[in-house]
């Protein structure tokens, strides 16, 4: 396989090289490289913040809590928690302590 072909099959990005975009006061999102099949993101929540609207999923969404604590309704997900939302689900994450989440959205056709 030629080198230029391999480059198209793999993308490597350092998180610090992706510019954070403010979603709401105290919440930033870094959109990570994706493919036609999945999109990646990293979200940082400051203590005492909540996602600004209910997040509705056409496709599947997954996230991994890297640090802090994410609150989903009455459930609390700490570091190491891996959370999967099925298509058609909805949620509005928040935090009292602050949190960092690494997530993937599966692209639907």
């Amino acid at each position: 396989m030629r080198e230029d072909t391999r480059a198209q099959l793999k993308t490597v990005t350092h998180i610090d090289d992706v510019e954070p975009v403010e979603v709401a006061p105290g919440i930033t999102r870094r959109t990570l490289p994706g493919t036609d099949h999945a999109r990646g993101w990293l979200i940082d929540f400051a203590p005492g913040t909540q996602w600004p609207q209910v997040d509705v999923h056409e496709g599947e969404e997954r996230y991994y809590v890297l640090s802090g604590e994410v609150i989903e309704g009455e459930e609390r997900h700490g570091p190491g928690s891996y959370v999967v939302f099925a298509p058609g689900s909805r949620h509005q994450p928040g935090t009292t302590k602050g949190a960092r989440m690494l997530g993937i959205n599966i692209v639907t056709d």
Side-chain angles (χ1 to χ4, degrees):
M1 188 179 326
R2 292 180 16 216
E3 183 66 31
D4 58 72
T5 303
R6 277 185 261 169
Q8 295 172 12
L9 297 176
K10 176 182 174 183
T11 302
V12 177
T13 302
H14 192 281
I15 294 296
D16 293 337
D17 294 336
V18 179
E19 189 70 29
V21 175
E22 186 177 70
V23 174
I27 302 173
T28 59
R29 176 185 176 117
R30 296 172 197 249
T31 301
L32 304 176
T35 67
D36 292 341
H37 306 287
R39 292 186 305 268
W41 44 265
L42 180 87
I43 296 178
D44 288 302
F45 286 84
T49 57
Q50 184 172 32
W51 195 253
Q53 71 274 343
V54 174
D55 191 21
V56 180
H57 305 286
E58 291 182 27
E60 187 175 290
E61 178 177 280
R62 304 161 177 230
Y63 69 77
Y64 180 78
V65 180
L66 296 166
S67 63
E69 181 181 70
V70 177
I71 301 169
E72 297 278 4
E74 299 299 317
E75 297 178 348
R76 294 174 179 268
H77 308 296
S81 297
Y82 179 67
V83 182
V84 179
F85 291 95
S89 62
R90 56 183 55 222
H91 67 123
Q92 190 173 13
T95 182
T96 57
K97 299 178 179 183
R100 176 171 259 197
M101 305 160 51
L102 177 65
I104 299 170
N105 288 91
I106 307 302
V107 176
T108 59
D109 292 327

